[in-house]
Amino acid sequence: MTLEIRYFYAPISGFAYLGEPRLMEIAERAGAVVRFRPMDIAQVFKAGGTTPPAAQHPARLAYRLHDLAREAERAGLPINPRPRHWPVPPEPAARLILAAEAMGLAPHPLSFAILRAIYAEERDISDPATLRDIAAGLDLDADALLARAAEPDIADAFAACTREAIEAGVFGSPSYLVGDENFFGQDRLDALAWRLQQTANG
């Protein structure tokens, strides 16, 4: 049986940016499949009673910014913890990622390029022109991807990812689910790797 990780995240999430490369490494070592579930984080926050980062107490927000910078340094990733274009609506990027998957493309390269564009390149990923440039930079057919992302079934898929997240008890980004077990935050990737090993060992 193939192990499966459902990866619920917002494509504007700083901690998703920090965690995604390691998630993919862990999945590869475990022989697990990552199912990308980009979601409407505003709806997930509302359903879970979570205060959005931009509305948090200044002390908690200051800690979040420091934590992003520290974890980026540990991961060897460039970051601006307070990027110029954040927060922005995540749906255009989420739909592009889902369109890539619908077209038979591996979603990770595009997903991570979008996250990197926000946090390392100061780009506005809610702008279709930016998304076109990101896709083209990966040698993808950007026009075909954008056209596919505009189709009604991709909008439905985005809504379904959000419903699935809420039904699974997800309350923030990133969240990694193995079965019904939720590992919230990129700082729980060690626990995720351990669980995959335990599951593989029966």
Side-chain angles (χ1 to χ4, degrees), residues 58-70:
R60 185 170 177 182
L61 181 57
Y63 178 82
R64 179 181 182 277
L65 297 175
H66 175 73
D67 198 31
L68 279 167
R70 177 176 55 207

